[in-house]
Amino acid sequence: MTLARFLPAFILSSAALVLSGLGSAPGLAHGYTAGTVEVIHPWARPTVSTRQPGAAYFALRNTGSEADRLIGARPIGFAEAAELHTHINDDGVMRMRPIPAVELPAGELVLFEPGGLHVMLYGLDAPLTEGRLLGLVLQFEKAGEVEVAVLVENRTDTAVHEHH
């Protein structure tokens, strides 16, 4: 599903939920599939300037019987670059480091969350504001590519919402 095709449905469903009093845009489910890999609830935190990089988070579930790997990410129009990152403990100091890939074992859930794995977003076109949708392409070694809409949310929890 391309982002252009996703936006009208998102806007209509958001309006319907808000008007019905049942919810708001940040509570909407948004999950995607590439081959045997499910991408669950992609989101990003707001930023205050374009000098500050953003970060995208989600969960990946490999429902297949073979391992796969996330090998890259590519922003669609809102940033210059995206990199896979993790946090490491460097003599008691937590530091972010780029990594070439993330292993997705068969039948496992891999979390991308604050303080752990994430996708860094560099060269933002504007600060990431709550409610904004960002297009991001995730590239898997076996499953191929999938385009996802990342919702900017002001979240304090990092739990993956399994129902999404």
Side-chain angles (χ1 to χ4, degrees), residues 23-34:
S24 62
L28 290 176
H30 44 290
Y32 306 86
T33 303

Side-chain angles (χ1 to χ4, degrees):
M1 176 184 299
T2 66
L3 187 60
R5 281 190 242 145
F6 174 80
L7 286 174
F10 181 85
I11 292 167
L12 287 174
S13 61
S14 296
L17 284 172
V18 170
L19 290 173
S20 69
L22 295 176
S24 62
L28 290 176
H30 44 290
Y32 306 86
T33 303
T36 61
V37 178
E38 296 175 352
V39 182
I40 304 165
H41 195 87
W43 67 284
R45 282 191 173 143
T47 61
V48 294
S49 78
T50 56
R51 290 188 299 265
Q52 173 187 6
Y57 310 102
F58 41 83
L60 298 175
R61 177 180 286 125
N62 182 352
T63 62
S65 58
E66 294 183 22
D68 202 342
R69 294 173 4 132
L70 177 64
I71 56 173
R74 184 175 71 250
I76 303 171
F78 71 92
E80 294 174 8
E83 289 182 350
L84 303 178
H85 273 232
T86 191
H87 279 86
I88 62 166
N89 187 331
D90 183 11
D91 290 326
V93 177
M94 294 303 288
R95 300 183 191 278
M96 288 186 289
R97 293 288 184 253
I99 54 176
V102 176
E103 300 296 324
L104 305 174
E108 297 290 324
L109 182 71
V110 177
L111 300 178
F112 283 65
E113 58 190 352
L117 295 168
H118 56 281
V119 176
M120 288 297 296
L121 307 166
Y122 294 105
L124 300 174
D125 66 353
L128 302 183
T129 55
E130 190 169 358
R132 183 177 177 190
L133 281 176
L134 313 171
L136 187 66
V137 175
L138 299 178
Q139 303 158 314
F140 299 95
E141 189 172 72
K142 295 179 183 170
E145 294 187 347
V146 63
E147 187 174 317
V148 302
V150 177
L151 180 62
V152 180
E153 298 180 87
N154 192 8
R155 292 177 56 175
T156 55
D157 72 311
T158 59
V160 171
H161 304 285
E162 288 293 331
H163 60 279
H164 286 301

